[in-house]
Amino acid sequence: MEDKQVRDESLAVEENLDNQEMDNQELDDQKLDDQLDSLIEEAVLETESQKPRQKMRLESFKRGAYHEQGWLFVLPAVLLMCVFTFYPIINTFVSAFKVGYKPLDSAYELKWGFENFVRVLRGDTGTGGANFARCFWNTLAFTFISVPVSTLLALLISVALNSIKVLQKAYQTIFFLPYLTNALAMGAVFATLFNVVGTGNTVETVGLINVLLGRTADNYINWINLGSDIWANRFVVIIYEIWSGLPFKILILFSALQNVNKQYYDAAKVDGASKSTILWKITVPLISPMLSYLLITGIMGGMKVYTAVVGLFGESMGQEYEVGTMVGYLYNYIEKGETGYAAAGSLILFGIIMIITLINLYVSKKRVHY
Amino acid sequence: MRISIENLTKIFPSRHKAGENVTAVNDMCIEIPSGKLVGLLGPSGCGKSTTLFMLSGLEKPTSGHIIFEDEDVTTLAPEKRGIGLVFQNYALYPHMTVEQNIMFPLVNMRLPKEEARQRALEAAELVQIEELLTRKPSELSGGQQQRVAIARALVKMPNVLLLDEPLSNLDARLRLQTREEIKRIQRATGITTVFVTHDQEEAMSICDQMVVMKLGVVQQMGEPQEIYDNPNNLFVANFLGTPPINIFKGKVENGGIYIGDEKVGETNVGDQEVFIGIRPEGFIYDPMGALTVNVQNVEVMGRDKTVVSTHPSSTKPTIRSIIDSDIKLPKDALQLKFNIKPNKLFLFNAETEERIYDGR
């Protein structure tokens, strides 16, 4: 109670300070206005015209000058955003509707239409690039398997972490370390773990994962090498995504758990709740805002997977883009100079992420307790 | 359910290796009779909440035993003790409705849903919140949350109801109302109830029995009026009563009780230095009285008036004496004289602060 009072008081003090600052600013404004007024008056005297209309125009100029000053202050930010955010967005929309547009093709004849979208969705871009439908399903598989699984794992790990006393800090550090590692480096390590060196009778090693699974040169699983199954490939990416997603999720959930009032657990214990009831009926709802945040950002991030696949399968994302992702698709067509397809693909990706996020928000409104 | 607490001790180990351990409860022995409302009373840090949590099973005693009726429950898990516990800040689950909150213990007992709902409704009716069942705790006032917490504790029909500072989060008016409510619910259900409070007025007003604690040690246990009339030591005398008791340094000489040079009473204890405690209502105004005080001011309350005064032998800055409002005091008097009611005067050993009982 007292704490709150103190906080309120300090808030009040801050507010006062704010007011004072505002007062100061108002004073400054007043000064500025006065200066402008005198300047304008001089100007008016100089032109020797005292028509009311002209005066009005000057008034509006005065107001405009004030606003222009404001714009001046934010100009660096606005310029940067125009160059790196607004122009690209607008240009993407424009290029997406320019049929067959290649920026480097000087003989290009401008033609508007939806043909880019149709060709992207049908998969007949006629350039031998990545296939949109395949990239789309890959991305969905990666996202909707890896995000829930890694969130659940993160939840269980952070609950376990929260309930131990000894070495808690040490484990916390260990779990957070992958967060600091470069994505491509991790991809290379994963590729090594799953890699099979040599073929047929000359297999030198089947890779650590196969060894751990008890597989030998006779019955090894081909995870990522030539002729491997798409689901084996996807499995590797999903494992990678789960593992690389854990640190951040554990960090967030662990701190959320530390903020849960211990008294709820005591109350639940007295009420005869079992450990699992406490976890699912008390803990999870209490940290559900954080869980929903992780799911939403996790799914958004999952839809944009690219580096993992490049790290594991190289820039061709498999032999012929078969492990490609939607963002991989965009880069692929930008590389080929087919800006029109890339733009159309990115708009489709934008639409998909938006729909999924809206569904997420709708669901979380019903399920999350703030 | 009769509760026996035998040699109960709780020592919290220090966080630092070199630091001292904290003894929260020290060799506590009390007997709580069945079906009574018992208050654990003491200043903060006296171990009263720790005792309550040991009764609930949430804290493990360092040594000693807790016995419910004839069963030793010292090591029994909280959910197996048949207790209901109301937390200081209620600990209602914020994501559940009032009904779900009350039903939660029953759901854990795997009761059929219909029966659970029926019993939740009965508990809600008992604390008069049946129209709030669909609300969330955040949509309730403090008093309503308190009732929900009590309903949740009562719904599993516990043998013992434990309340941790049940009134401390309520405003003054609601506190009066709620303490009557707790008394009513306790009477209606007949459940042995233990509650913790630092407010002596609260404890005195509703308790059947009261346990006064200080620094983990039980000072006195008994009916509120009896403890008030016969405090065991200076601490208990000081802790009970508003306004608090007046304490003087004095002495016993030849059967007379002296404050300074003035003889305020008689006793048959031997000559010694003593603390003399006089309850505010123990003063009788008398122009020829035994004790002379320097008047600071007179507070008129309507029903009675309080003379605020000073005395060189008083251990407190001011003395408060309550006298009847009908009694006419001389106006603007700088000094007043009082006689002291013998049954409102207590003698305490100057060193041990223990009560010195009159042999008579």
Side-chain angles (χ1 to χ4, degrees):
Chain A
M1 288 278 275
E2 261 173 23
D3 272 2
K4 199 178 170 234
Q5 215 174 341
V6 169
R7 227 183 304 139
D8 286 349
E9 268 168 27
S10 68
L11 271 178
V13 169
E14 268 177 34
E15 233 165 79
N16 276 341
L17 282 175
D18 281 353
N19 283 345
Q20 273 172 15
E21 268 175 31
M22 284 219 331
D23 288 346
N24 285 343
Q25 205 177 346
E26 266 170 39
L27 276 177
D28 285 352
D29 289 350
Q30 195 67 43
K31 259 188 231 161
L32 206 88
D33 276 6
D34 288 350
Q35 276 174 5
L36 276 167
D37 269 341
S38 58
L39 270 176
I40 289 157
E41 257 167 35
E42 274 169 34
V44 170
L45 280 175
E46 258 175 34
T47 51
E48 284 184 322
S49 72
Q50 307 248 334
K51 282 179 197 166
R53 212 172 145 196
Q54 206 159 356
K55 209 176 176 182
M56 259 171 65
R57 204 184 293 162
L58 278 164
E59 280 290 314
S60 71
F61 165 74
K62 194 178 102 183
R63 261 192 313 238
Y66 178 71
H67 286 298
E68 272 158 33
Q69 257 196 346
W71 279 107
L72 199 64
F73 288 127
V74 292
L75 191 63
V78 170
L79 272 182
L80 285 173
M81 284 183 75
C82 283
V83 174
F84 292 108
T85 309
F86 299 133
Y87 172 71
I89 290 176
I90 294 164
N91 201 31
T92 305
F93 272 89
V94 173
S95 336
F97 292 98
K98 285 182 183 169
V99 175
Y101 174 59
K102 288 181 189 175
L104 297 178
D105 186 0
S106 56
Y108 173 70
E109 271 179 50
L110 184 63
K111 188 184 156 206
W112 300 101
F114 288 91
E115 212 179 307
N116 285 337
F117 291 91
V118 176
R119 277 172 178 263
V120 163
L121 290 173
R122 270 212 204 123
D124 64 354
T125 51
T127 56
N131 179 293
F132 187 82
R134 193 182 282 164
C135 289
F136 174 74
W137 289 117
N138 279 339
T139 309
L140 281 200
F142 297 156
T143 306
F144 286 93
I145 297 175
S146 71
V147 172
V149 171
S150 91
T151 309
L152 184 72
L153 272 179
L155 174 69
L156 296 178
I157 291 174
S158 35
V159 168
L161 203 56
N162 193 33
S163 57
I164 60 167
K165 297 274 179 297
V166 189
L167 291 179
Q168 195 184 50
K169 285 267 181 299
Y171 278 112
Q172 223 181 320
T173 312
I174 290 170
F175 280 118
F176 192 65
L177 273 181
Y179 195 66
L180 307 172
T181 316
N182 179 288
L184 286 174
M186 288 196 288
V189 171
F190 265 72
T192 312
L193 291 178
F194 286 96
N195 198 15
V196 177
V197 180
T199 49
N201 293 329
T202 61
V203 169
E204 287 176 28
T205 167
V206 291
L208 188 61
I209 300 294
N210 270 324
V211 171
L212 286 178
L213 291 173
R215 304 283 176 149
T216 62
D218 300 326
N219 62 351
Y220 66 83
I221 299 170
N222 188 354
W223 295 108
I224 55 174
N225 297 73
L226 192 66
S228 54
D229 179 58
I230 181 68
W231 275 106
N233 298 163
R234 284 176 177 172
F235 180 79
V236 175
V237 178
I238 287 167
I239 293 292
Y240 173 94
E241 282 293 306
I242 290 173
W243 182 76
S244 68
L246 278 178
F248 181 67
K249 294 188 172 77
I250 291 174
L251 182 79
I252 296 285
L253 291 179
F254 183 68
S255 62
L257 284 173
Q258 300 242 299
N259 280 331
V260 173
N261 191 338
K262 301 274 177 294
Q263 220 153 56
Y264 293 127
Y265 299 133
D266 281 345
K269 241 184 264 169
V270 172
D271 286 342
S274 62
K275 285 231 163 71
S276 71
T277 309
I278 290 179
L279 176 60
W280 297 112
K281 292 269 178 72
I282 308 287
T283 310
V284 167
L286 285 175
I287 61 169
S288 60
M290 277 304 149
L291 282 172
S292 118
Y293 162 77
L294 287 178
L295 280 175
I296 290 176
T297 55
I299 288 172
M300 279 178 176
M303 300 302 282
K304 294 193 278 187
V305 174
Y306 175 58
T307 39
V309 177
V310 173
L312 282 164
F313 297 97
E315 264 187 284
S316 62
M317 300 183 283
Q319 291 303 308
E320 287 278 347
Y321 314 112
E322 65 269 11
V323 209
T325 66
M326 287 204 276
V327 170
Y329 182 91
L330 306 184
Y331 281 120
N332 188 228
Y333 280 89
I334 290 168
E335 235 171 82
K336 287 185 191 304
E338 297 277 358
T339 316
Y341 293 134
S346 73
L347 285 189
I348 297 171
L349 175 61
F350 169 69
I352 293 169
I353 292 182
M354 191 152 85
I355 291 167
I356 292 174
T357 306
L358 286 177
I359 295 172
N360 267 332
L361 288 175
Y362 176 76
V363 173
S364 64
K365 228 174 234 167
K366 292 194 158 178
R367 293 267 163 211
V368 176
H369 311 281
Y370 290 103
Chain B
M1 170 106 23
R2 192 183 74 243
I3 304 171
S4 309
I5 296 176
E6 293 172 359
N7 307 96
L8 195 67
T9 301
K10 175 73 188 182
I11 297 168
F12 288 107
S14 103
R15 278 170 193 272
H16 312 284
K17 272 182 186 159
E20 273 177 44
N21 294 343
V22 178
T23 307
V25 177
N26 194 355
D27 200 29
M28 183 182 201
C29 291
I30 56 172
E31 184 105 352
I32 293 168
S34 184
K36 292 280 196 253
L37 181 58
V38 177
L40 295 177
L41 177 66
S44 59
C46 74
K48 53 194 190 302
S49 285
T50 308
T51 308
L52 194 84
F53 285 125
M54 283 194 283
L55 284 176
S56 75
L58 289 172
E59 289 281 1
K60 297 264 168 295
T62 310
S63 65
H65 294 277
I66 297 168
I67 292 153
F68 284 3
E69 212 70 45
D70 294 316
E71 189 193 357
D72 189 336
V73 297
T74 314
T75 54
L76 210 60
E79 68 270 16
K80 291 182 183 145
R81 295 192 179 195
I83 51 145
L85 178 59
V86 177
F87 288 87
Q88 183 166 5
N89 41 15
Y90 318 135
L92 297 177
Y93 311 120
H95 54 285
M96 298 185 192
T97 63
V98 167
E99 186 177 35
Q100 287 167 333
N101 260 289
I102 301 175
M103 275 167 64
F104 190 67
L106 302 180
V107 172
N108 292 328
M109 287 159 70
R110 299 189 197 289
L111 234 61
K113 204 156 191 190
E114 267 320 296
E115 194 187 336
R117 185 160 285 166
Q118 184 58 34
R119 274 174 63 176
L121 184 66
E122 281 166 20
E125 274 167 0
L126 183 69
V127 297
Q128 298 166 348
I129 49 158
E130 58 271 29
E131 71 277 14
L132 304 175
L133 285 176
T134 54
R135 297 228 202 138
K136 289 270 177 73
S138 58
E139 298 161 347
L140 302 178
S141 71
Q144 289 168 332
Q145 289 185 26
Q146 167 77 277
R147 283 155 193 259
V148 177
I150 294 177
R152 185 179 66 184
L154 286 176
V155 74
K156 54 192 164 181
M157 303 187 180
N159 297 318
V160 179
L161 179 63
L162 305 170
L163 305 143
D164 185 19
E165 300 263 7
L167 307 174
S168 61
N169 283 354
L170 305 176
D171 64 58
R173 187 176 290 269
L174 205 55
R175 200 173 296 177
L176 284 180
Q177 200 184 328
T178 309
R179 79 185 188 200
E180 295 309 314
E181 188 73 9
I182 289 174
K183 184 82 189 162
R184 181 185 67 78
I185 293 165
Q186 197 271 329
R187 283 268 160 79
T189 55
I191 294 174
T192 310
T193 305
V194 181
F195 87 100
V196 160
T197 181
H198 60 266
D199 184 342
Q200 53 90 21
E201 203 181 319
E202 195 174 297
M204 304 243 330
S205 60
I206 60 171
C207 283
D208 297 317
Q209 296 262 310
M210 203 160 80
V211 181
V212 186
M213 294 178 72
K214 176 196 172 190
L215 295 172
V217 180
V218 174
Q219 305 292 311
Q220 195 167 0
M221 179 177 178
E223 285 172 21
Q225 190 65 51
E226 198 194 303
I227 298 181
Y228 183 82
D229 289 339
N230 275 307
N232 262 349
N233 56 35
L234 193 62
F235 171 80
V236 176
N238 223 338
F239 198 70
L240 296 186
T242 30
I245 194 166
N246 304 297
I247 313 269
F248 300 88
K249 272 192 179 130
K251 56 179 186 254
V252 176
E253 235 175 56
N254 300 327
I257 303 166
Y258 289 91
I259 296 175
D261 298 329
E262 293 170 314
K263 187 178 171 190
V264 295
E266 287 180 341
T267 179
N268 59 0
V269 303
D271 293 2
Q272 58 189 305
E273 298 282 313
V274 289
F275 281 119
I276 300 163
I278 304 172
R279 291 272 181 219
E281 68 272 23
F283 294 85
I284 306 163
Y285 171 64
D286 182 348
M288 308 301 293
L291 182 69
T292 315
V293 298
N294 305 314
V295 179
Q296 237 173 29
N297 64 306
V298 178
E299 291 172 3
V300 180
M301 312 296 280
R303 186 182 48 188
D304 44 36
K305 47 189 157 192
T306 305
V307 178
V308 183
S309 56
T310 58
H311 190 282
S313 294
S314 171
T315 61
K316 296 178 183 177
T318 57
I319 305 161
R320 288 181 163 266
S321 355
I322 300 173
I323 55 172
D324 211 90
S325 60
D326 298 338
I327 292 168
K328 292 270 183 292
L329 293 174
K331 270 198 178 155
D332 304 326
L334 290 175
Q335 291 199 321
L336 285 177
K337 282 178 180 290
F338 291 107
N339 279 328
I340 309 299
K341 295 179 190 166
N343 64 334
K344 294 291 179 187
L345 184 150
F346 312 116
L347 297 181
F348 302 97
N349 186 307
E351 269 147 39
T352 63
E353 301 190 350
E354 288 299 313
R355 174 88 179 272
I356 306 166
Y357 288 95
D358 212 274
R360 287 171 293 184

